[in-house]
Amino acid sequence: MRSPASSPSGSRPTAALRASAAVLALSALSACGSSADAGGGDSAGAPSELTVWIMRDSVTDGFLQRFEADFESTHPGTTLKVQIQEWDGIGQKITSALASKDAPDVIEVGNTQVAQYAASGGVKDLTDRTADLQGGDWIPGLAEPGKIDGKQYGIPWYAANRVVIYHKDLFAQAGITTPPKTREEWIATTTKLNSGGNDGIYLSGQTWYALAGFVWDEGGDLAVKGADGKWAGSLDTPEAKAGMAFYQQLQALGSGPKDADEAKPLQAEVFAKGKTAQLISTPGGAAAIVKANPALKDKLGFFPIPGKTAAKPGAVFTGGSDLVIPESSRHQAGAYEVVKALAGEKWQTDMAKEMSYVPNRTSLAGVLAGNEGASAMAAGAVNGHATPNSPNWAAVEANNPIKQYMTQVLTGADPAVAGKTASAAVTKALNSSH
């Protein structure tokens, strides 16, 4: 049964993203669980009331009702008490819960926030359960942020990532019948579309998640962790420079601003004017476009961000949710059963179809067949990545030096100098607690 949660206060997490069939939303989400007999929990099969925290709008009421009924019927004597949590203030609320002696049994958390919560020492290490949960099949961009220093604290629940949304009519007018599959093809296609008063692509100068994908494709990263445990920004590496060079080439084939991100102006509203051929967004962005211009209904297509070769799509940031189990859960065995069910094939399939999410396993991508946007997202998810797995990553985003670096390069600054400055800022933010 579900019960309302108390009203927390504070700010919403900024680093993760999610997409649903009806709503465009980017948010950080996750959940976790713990193993039986590890930390003084209940014994396997013992009747109990399990408290589960789920973030608002992560799943529908219908999904929760089906899951609750099924779980309680297959676990006689156990009652689920699902409490819907608000995003405002959730970070502090989870931190306080993990430090208490009466924490909920399972918590959904944003995948990029697992490191922060694990650093508190209040999250159960589930490394010995990954085989039972078929961890070898998890999509990498969702599994990686749940793994801290070789230990799996967060269990992947669902994912969302960016794709290319395109205007089918403009592609047809340009004689383009097949979406590009490589970077080289993408540039050629976009160049062809960038004519006749149309923009080949709308790409703002500070869409840093897209840049991160290009850097990952080159074998680089935004920051790296040294043997001494300290982090160092890496935007001044050859790999980062190559990723930025491709971003600059692509961005020049449209009229996006060089000193703003995709929210200024809202890129969906720009696209809705009907003169833009492509943009990078979660599939849910299509709903915002159609809302702004209903005439574009059925005129939007989707394809994965192209990679360096056709063998693999371009790298993408994977946002979504993990499930975690607090150390202080009094029902360890029952909590693990909840996590195992939610992360298992039956409920992954149900949720993917209901919410148009990417399921946590690569082998389940086919369940989205027939949903063009979600299928493109699932195809891209196989090359998913996460932001640097530091508890202090939020400090980087607070005054994002990556955005500043991008604008500087796009407006003529020396990439080497701008990259060095940005790397120093990232390094300082990530090591702020040292």
Side-chain angles (χ1 to χ4, degrees):
M1 61 183 175
R2 279 166 290 131
S3 63
S6 58
S7 301
S9 62
S11 61
R12 179 175 179 158
T14 60
L17 65 103
R18 62 174 292 271
S20 70
V23 181
L24 168 64
L26 299 179
S27 60
L29 305 170
S30 76
C32 88
S34 66
S35 58
D37 304 323
D42 54 336
S43 59
S48 57
E49 181 180 82
L50 303 175
T51 300
V52 181
W53 283 6
I54 299 293
M55 299 308 301
R56 183 170 299 284
D57 297 328
S58 285
V59 290
T60 62
D61 286 345
F63 174 87
L64 286 177
Q65 290 165 3
R66 292 192 298 274
F67 178 75
E68 290 168 11
D70 182 82
F71 189 87
E72 290 177 357
S73 69
T74 54
H75 297 78
T78 297
T79 299
L80 285 187
K81 184 180 180 183
V82 177
Q83 296 182 336
I84 303 301
Q85 303 296 310
E86 303 293 341
W87 280 110
D88 284 349
I90 191 59
Q92 183 57 53
K93 187 170 185 179
I94 291 176
T95 298
S96 297
L98 294 176
S100 75
K101 295 182 179 180
D102 188 26
D105 300 293
V106 177
I107 305 176
E108 175 193 358
V109 300
N111 65 328
T112 62
Q113 302 301 312
V114 176
Q116 174 186 339
Y117 299 135
S120 72
V123 178
K124 192 70 186 172
D125 174 9
L126 296 170
T127 306
D128 62 346
R129 295 290 183 156
T130 56
D132 184 44
L133 295 168
Q134 298 188 34
D137 193 24
W138 289 336
I139 58 176
L142 205 53
E144 289 168 5
K147 192 173 186 178
I148 317 299
D149 295 330
K151 297 180 179 180
Q152 195 76 43
Y153 293 95
I155 303 305
W157 192 21
Y158 65 84
N161 51 264
R162 289 165 174 80
V163 300
V164 180
I165 300 178
Y166 71 97
H167 193 313
K168 292 180 178 179
D169 284 358
L170 297 186
F171 268 58
Q173 290 170 19
I176 301 167
T177 58
T178 305
K181 292 186 177 180
T182 69
R183 281 192 188 180
E184 185 178 3
E185 293 174 358
W186 197 14
I187 291 296
T189 294
T190 306
T191 300
K192 194 172 183 180
L193 291 162
N194 191 33
S195 62
N198 296 324
D199 270 354
I201 189 169
Y202 183 83
L203 181 60
S204 78
Q206 297 181 348
T207 305
W208 69 277
Y209 279 125
L211 171 64
F214 302 152
V215 173
W216 290 325
D217 275 338
E218 297 291 345
D221 209 333
L222 305 177
V224 294
K225 190 176 184 180
D228 60 358
K230 293 187 177 182
W231 288 85
S234 52
L235 291 167
D236 53 346
T237 62
E239 295 83 3
K241 292 176 185 176
M244 186 64 215
F246 179 75
Y247 190 101
Q248 188 170 18
Q249 183 182 15
L250 185 65
Q251 203 266 343
L253 296 174
S255 57
K258 292 178 170 57
D259 59 351
D261 61 22
E262 57 266 43
K264 299 176 182 179
L266 290 172
Q267 62 176 6
E269 294 182 358
V270 174
F271 194 98
K273 295 177 181 178
K275 304 294 287 183
T276 301
Q278 305 170 91
L279 59 74
I280 297 173
S281 171
T282 57
I289 292 169
V290 172
K291 181 178 180 180
N293 184 0
L296 291 179
K297 187 176 185 296
D298 301 324
K299 296 182 181 296
L300 304 179
F302 310 82
F303 60 87
I305 292 175
K308 296 188 72 173
T309 71
K312 185 167 67 173
V316 290
F317 166 73
T318 303
S321 285
D322 280 17
L323 299 170
V324 299
I325 297 174
E327 286 279 13
S328 56
S329 162
R330 292 183 293 178
H331 309 291
Q332 297 279 313
Y336 176 72
E337 289 299 312
V338 171
V339 170
K340 184 176 181 179
L342 286 171
E345 181 174 351
K346 177 179 179 178
W347 293 104
Q348 283 292 300
T349 299
D350 186 303
M351 182 167 58
K353 292 180 176 179
E354 177 100 351
M355 305 300 298
S356 294
Y357 288 145
V358 176
N360 64 6
R361 302 183 190 179
T362 58
S363 63
L364 295 178
V367 304
L368 295 170
N371 184 327
E372 186 182 356
S375 293
M377 186 167 62
V382 301
N383 196 11
H385 294 252
T387 50
N389 212 359
S390 164
N392 291 334
W393 183 252
V396 174
E397 292 191 34
N399 187 33
N400 202 323
I402 304 171
K403 290 184 174 183
Q404 299 164 30
Y405 157 72
M406 295 171 72
T407 292
Q408 289 169 1
V409 174
L410 292 175
T411 54
D414 183 340
V417 175
K420 185 175 181 179
T421 300
S423 292
V426 171
T427 298
K428 181 177 180 180
L430 292 181
N431 297 295
S432 58
S433 62
H434 289 277

